[in-house]
Amino acid sequence: QVQLVESGGGSVQAGGSLTLSCAASEDANIGNPMAWFRQAPGKAREGVAAFYTDGGLSYYADSVKGRFTISQDNAKNTVYLKMNSLKLEDTAMYYCAAGRLVIGSRFWQNEYRYNYWGQGTQVTVSS
């Protein structure tokens, strides 16, 4: 059973930074990409960023481009989300996700294509 464990969430003032981590279980046999989603209260879950190991390509939601950076440490089977210049609207529960198979880059924001999810880590941005 694949397990994804997020960490690094917390409370921060607007303009601040946080780095989230997602560690996959050592025996994980997961496809590409590993991704981050978020869900704010009363809103739908949205794809934030995805990282494809093959080719090292990354994709971002328009709302976070230029502020967030996703990266992966293959040796540690861990994906990171570095979040800078945080805004109030970044407040949400952040989830790590992965699939059993490759998810085409056109579909990286489609949550239904992911098979494995972490438990989530809360990010709260205050003024």
Side-chain angles (χ1 to χ4, degrees):
Q1 180 68 25
V2 174
Q3 289 186 324
L4 302 175
V5 180
E6 303 102 333
S7 61
S11 297
V12 64
Q13 287 192 321
S17 299
L18 282 174
T19 298
L20 307 182
S21 300
C22 171
S25 50
E26 291 185 0
D27 59 349
N29 182 18
I30 55 179
N32 268 300
M34 289 188 73
W36 287 96
F37 284 74
R38 68 185 180 186
Q39 188 167 23
K43 294 189 176 181
R45 188 175 298 186
E46 64 168 339
V48 175
F51 186 88
Y52 284 79
T53 301
D54 295 341
L57 296 177
S58 55
Y59 296 86
Y60 299 93
D62 289 343
S63 58
V64 306
K65 281 180 182 176
R67 300 188 298 120
F68 290 12
T69 303
I70 188 171
S71 60
Q72 187 169 3
D73 183 335
N74 287 336
K76 297 182 179 179
N77 226 16
T78 299
V79 66
Y80 304 95
L81 185 68
K82 172 69 172 174
M83 306 183 294
N84 293 326
S85 302
L86 282 162
K87 302 178 180 180
L88 298 179
E89 52 264 41
D90 293 319
T91 295
M93 185 72 77
Y94 283 71
Y95 299 90
C96 178
R100 284 191 293 268
L101 304 172
V102 174
I103 299 171
S105 59
R106 292 172 55 195
F107 305 108
W108 76 265
Q109 288 183 295
N110 186 334
E111 62 178 301
Y112 299 105
R113 290 182 177 259
Y114 293 83
N115 306 105
Y116 309 116
W117 293 85
Q119 80 287 353
T121 185
Q122 178 68 37
V123 172
T124 302
V125 184
S126 60
S127 59

